[in-house]
Amino acid sequence: MKSKMKKIGSTSKYLLLLAFFSILANTTLGVLLTRQSNEAIRNLMRDRMLDVSNTAADMLDGDTLRDIAPKDKGTPAYDSVMTILASFQNNIDLSYIYCIRDEGNKNFVFGLDPSEDPGEFGSPVVYTDALYQASRGTAAVDEKPYDDAWGSFYSAYSPVFDSDGKVAGIVSVDFSREWYDAQTEIMIRTTVITCIAALIVGITVALLLISKSRKRVHTVNEQLGELSTSLETLMWEVRGMAGVGMPAAEEHDEAEQYDIDDLDTLTRRLAAMQKDLHVQIDKVHEQAYYDKATGVMNKECYLSTQKVMDDMVKEGLAEFSILAFSMNELTDINRTSGHEYGDMALADSAGVLSSVFGKERVFHVDGAEFIVIADTTSKSDIQNNFSKVVFRMAAENVKEKAYHQRLTLSMGYAVYNPETDRSYLDVYRRADRMRIEDKTGRSAWQDKG
């Protein structure tokens, strides 16, 4: 009886030891997976925050922002800045958007703030390393949340440059810490469930190793295969949170699925999943604002900008012109050489327009059509830019091209007239009519200038 009790105690101790190491290994795996997934999701959210702050900063005029003050309230310049900021505040899922001024020596104060509970103009702003980086000319996002009188936030900061290329101000976009926590909650919950499943499997492994049953070892291998599939399912959920399409289920040969007797195979599969997750994040960032075929802004960004311009028209603060372009040879190239060469020609045309106006101003809206929304209302400036387009297109045509065809652009423009234009589309229709009339790519805009 005494000997039997001793034997049971020794077996239990050995079982507990193996169970402990199994728990430790699976817990470590869960922690590593959670950290990797958190970092991937955080990078995705950082990119989204920077896209918002950069877009807002690009729409502000640095020379105006540099000199504006509360005493200017009611002036067109003041109302223009507030309208742009308010449009982002009202149409995008963020907590606050406002301007910041650099007082020097790492001291920053509030500028214009369109929120219902604004920061007082000139009052101190909480210093962060990302804010300082933006004051030096590079957009940045807070690595850690900070607290102020309005709550706890992560913020993205983008510099606004004046005509001399100096930082005239900083646009700050605040996202609440609760928003970040909500984005990661589902991933953490799924990871915890997976870790519990891994713990159960680990304890089962300890029991089966003690029994030295080959049949039971085979069963353990099957369970580990199921665990690997569960981890893969977790990665699918993260991919779904990124907002991209789910791929077809991956096929694994039977040997890998049912002969998993160490962590090496699991590690390889996790590494593959992590690599795929980074690819999906890159796709999200690429597809958010840029057109894949041309490298300029896409139609979604164009429609968003159009809405902002319509709001400015309604408020009586609009001052802009629309430049319409279309590539005349796209249909012929597609028909004679194929769409692959047509895409090459389209990208070359977009490159010419980007070299004159900057790719952030050029929108590829449909087929062969491009739109430029310019701040200038000077017809001579517009015609000078059109001349640059013609000159640079001629230089592009000198180069050897796979599609072997000379490219030309039909061009038209219209300047916003507050007396007659009631919407953005009123201006666009005039520009498009001139573009259609411009059969040679130069006569219409020169004659009507």
Side-chain angles (χ1 to χ4, degrees), residues 14-31:
Y14 184 51
L15 174 61
L16 288 173
L17 183 62
L18 288 179
F20 170 77
F21 283 109
S22 177
I23 292 171
L24 181 63
N26 285 287
T27 301
T28 302
L29 180 62
V31 170

Side-chain angles (χ1 to χ4, degrees), residues 341 344 348 395-405 407:
Y341 291 96
M344 293 180 187
D348 289 339
E396 189 70 23
N397 283 326
V398 174
K399 301 177 184 177
E400 184 67 24
K401 300 295 183 181
Y403 43 83
H404 302 298
Q405 188 160 346
L407 302 180

Side-chain angles (χ1 to χ4, degrees), residues 294-337:
T294 61
V296 297
M297 312 308 286
N298 62 18
K299 188 171 183 178
E300 181 180 353
C301 185
Y302 171 72
L303 294 175
S304 177
T305 303
Q306 178 182 327
K307 186 178 186 306
V308 172
M309 303 307 295
D310 271 329
D311 290 341
M312 296 179 67
V313 169
K314 291 177 182 178
E315 295 293 331
L317 304 174
E319 187 175 355
F320 66 96
S321 57
I322 297 176
L323 287 61
F325 301 86
S326 63
M327 200 181 84
N328 298 318
E329 295 75 21
L330 181 60
T331 301
D332 290 340
I333 295 174
N334 284 338
R335 184 178 63 252
T336 60
S337 302

